[in-house]
Amino acid sequence: LVHISQLAPRRVESVEEVLTEGQDVWVKVLPSEDPAKVSLSLRQVDQSTGADLGDEAPRRGRRNEAEAEDGAPRNADGSFAWGKLEPLERGGPEEEEEEEAAPKQQPNFARTGKLAEASNTVNGVVLKSAEPSDAAKPTKHWRLYVFKGKEALEPYHIHRQSSYLLGRERRVVDLPLDHPSCSGQHAVLQFRLTAKSDTGKLVRPYLMDLGSTNGSFINGEKIEPEKYVELLPQDVLRFGYSSREYVIINADV
């Protein structure tokens, strides 16, 4: 009853990326011209609250009726509407000097397309994130303490590299999230070199949700996907519907 395009607000290659057998979900009944056909949607419902998100897909606007199929403006009778011929204005000597002094566009040798995709592939899996230009290995001994209810699990030492990928895809992730509500590549913990006027430059931790199905949370608040959010010591992280909590600590303090 749920088409694969209605599972999540992103492109889904397989149902297993979003759902697991026996998982409880919220759905919305979509309007249908055929009374005998029932269509449901998961992506239009907030899976954490059940709130109706509506159809946020952008709609294409109608074309101007006075505009031809080839894009040329036309009059009401269908004839072409021609503009007025204006004389070409030339600037003075100063404007000509500025045009001559304009630098030529330099060639861009950055990787694009399939080449860029191949350079961001690990064990045959294309990563959803790439490190920013200010990525840096932390200078402090950061720890990520894991709690399952009242039970404290083995902490993660997260000061040995500049970023850590979290998710269920164990072929590529650094910190596995095994709960079925978590995505294959759920979020990334990124250390970045930031400029602070009072203390100079510091390497600080940031969290970015990678467009996961069920979201990432800092101190109980869901963060906006695909945007870096700075983390502070003793912040509590949670992913999807997992009850596990991850507390980030600066061990040098």
Side-chain angles (χ1 to χ4, degrees):
L1 297 180
V2 181
H3 191 268
I4 192 170
S5 63
Q6 292 293 329
L7 290 178
R10 58 178 178 82
R11 181 179 178 84
V12 178
E13 298 294 341
S14 63
V15 178
E16 289 75 13
E17 293 181 15
V18 181
L19 298 175
T20 57
E21 185 176 354
Q23 179 181 345
D24 293 331
V25 296
W26 294 90
V27 296
K28 174 183 177 181
V29 179
L30 300 178
S32 176
E33 297 180 357
D34 185 359
K37 181 180 179 181
V38 178
S39 298
L40 304 178
S41 173
L42 272 74
R43 72 181 184 92
Q44 297 187 28
V45 183
D46 189 329
Q47 293 301 314
S48 59
T49 64
D52 186 357
L53 300 178
D55 187 1
E56 299 180 356
R59 298 178 180 271
R60 295 184 60 186
R62 295 179 59 186
R63 297 187 64 182
N64 192 334
E65 294 180 357
E67 185 177 326
E69 294 182 358
D70 56 4
R74 292 179 181 269
N75 298 316
D77 60 358
S79 62
F80 287 101
W82 302 104
K84 294 182 179 180
L85 181 62
E86 299 290 345
L88 178 63
E89 297 182 359
R90 293 186 177 273
E94 295 182 357
E95 184 176 341
E96 293 180 359
E97 291 179 0
E98 290 180 0
E99 292 180 357
E100 293 178 358
K104 295 182 179 180
Q105 184 177 1
Q106 299 298 321
N108 182 5
F109 296 106
R111 294 175 176 176
T112 59
K114 291 298 182 180
L115 186 58
E117 180 180 297
S119 65
N120 199 33
T121 301
V122 176
N123 294 331
V125 179
V126 178
L127 301 183
K128 291 185 177 181
S129 67
E131 288 198 285
S133 59
D134 57 1
K137 185 178 178 181
T139 56
K140 306 294 184 181
H141 293 84
W142 291 91
R143 303 285 186 270
L144 200 60
Y145 289 87
V146 187
F147 294 91
K148 184 179 181 181
K150 295 182 179 180
E151 180 186 1
L153 305 180
E154 188 71 19
Y156 293 113
H157 297 251
I158 54 173
H159 64 278
R160 298 179 177 130
Q161 56 194 56
S162 58
S163 68
Y164 293 83
L165 181 61
L166 300 92
R168 289 195 298 132
E169 181 54 80
R170 285 182 171 265
R171 289 183 296 171
V172 294
V173 301
D174 303 294
L175 308 179
L177 304 174
D178 293 329
H179 196 272
S181 67
C182 295
S183 300
Q185 297 180 51
H186 196 101
V188 62
L189 196 156
Q190 179 71 57
F191 288 94
R192 306 174 65 187
L193 185 64
T194 59
K196 299 293 181 179
S197 58
D198 52 345
T199 57
K201 291 186 176 181
L202 292 176
V203 179
R204 295 179 177 271
Y206 290 78
L207 182 71
M208 181 171 65
D209 183 271
L210 298 176
S212 64
T213 302
N214 297 309
S216 301
F217 303 81
I218 299 178
N219 299 327
E221 295 186 6
K222 188 174 183 179
I223 64 174
E224 187 175 352
E226 299 179 353
K227 286 189 176 181
Y228 284 112
V229 180
E230 182 177 357
L231 296 175
L232 301 177
Q234 300 183 10
D235 275 349
V236 180
L237 315 181
R238 189 170 56 80
F239 305 98
Y241 301 136
S242 174
S243 61
R244 294 195 181 190
E245 295 182 332
Y246 301 79
V247 182
I248 186 167
I249 297 292
N250 181 357
D252 294 337
V253 177

